[in-house]
Amino acid sequence: MSDPMLGKGLPSCVLKTNGGNNVELPKACVGTWTVLYFYPKDDTPGCTKQACAYRDHLGEFKSIGAQVFGVSLDDEHSHDSFVDKFSLNFPLLADTKHVLSEALGVYGDQEWMGKTFKGLSRDTFIINPEGKIVKVWRKVDPLSTMAETFNAVKELQA
């Protein structure tokens, strides 16, 4: 099944990061391979495992010319705490107004423990150096997604 986002560019937006910096999309993705992963909430079990996997393997992503951004609805202060607590070594983007997540179909109805609420799906995108989305995973497994995205970037570069 093909995802409707394949081949599209990212929407134009500026998002705050941990540390109070700004990231301008899609500009920050042009010229390099980018893994953009969305996660529901800072400092929760699955999200922590996912972030720490990217942290532990960031050098491998850099060695193949790729960067990693994590995105959630949490603000930059929450991101600061999450980064500090787990020594995360890549930017976390604060999509507090869900501009990016809505545009990519990540924000919407979610279900947890029998309750429906508005929030983020755990989705991941690979953006090529031209700024186009070339791979999409929806509702990923936080334990296997790092390896899947690393292998996909390598395959796409070949």
Side-chain angles (χ1 to χ4, degrees), residues 120-139:
L120 291 188
S121 172
R122 193 181 303 275
D123 297 348
T124 302
F125 300 81
I126 294 178
I127 296 98
N128 70 11
E130 291 75 43
K132 300 292 182 199
I133 297 168
V134 293
K135 187 86 173 159
V136 178
W137 291 266
R138 299 290 182 178
K139 300 190 186 308

Side-chain angles (χ1 to χ4, degrees), residues 15 72-76 93-99:
L15 299 176
S72 80
L73 302 179
D74 297 307
D75 66 24
E76 63 269 25
L93 308 182
D95 190 19
T96 56
K97 295 182 177 152
H98 31 90
V99 173

Side-chain angles (χ1 to χ4, degrees), residues 29-105:
C29 299
V30 174
T32 189
W33 289 89
T34 302
V35 174
L36 188 66
Y37 82 90
F38 289 81
Y39 64 97
K41 187 107 179 97
D42 287 343
D43 202 6
T44 57
C47 299
T48 298
K49 288 174 185 164
Q50 185 177 19
C52 289
Y54 280 111
R55 174 200 66 201
D56 294 347
H57 296 276
L58 189 65
E60 294 168 48
F61 282 91
K62 287 183 175 182
S63 76
I64 61 169
Q67 64 182 345
V68 174
F69 293 114
V71 185
S72 80
L73 302 179
D74 297 307
D75 66 24
E76 63 269 25
H77 304 295
S78 177
H79 286 344
D80 286 339
S81 297
F82 191 36
V83 165
D84 290 346
K85 184 173 181 179
F86 295 100
S87 301
L88 302 180
N89 52 2
F90 56 90
L92 299 180
L93 308 182
D95 190 19
T96 56
K97 295 182 177 152
H98 31 90
V99 173
L100 181 60
S101 52
E102 278 191 42
L104 298 180

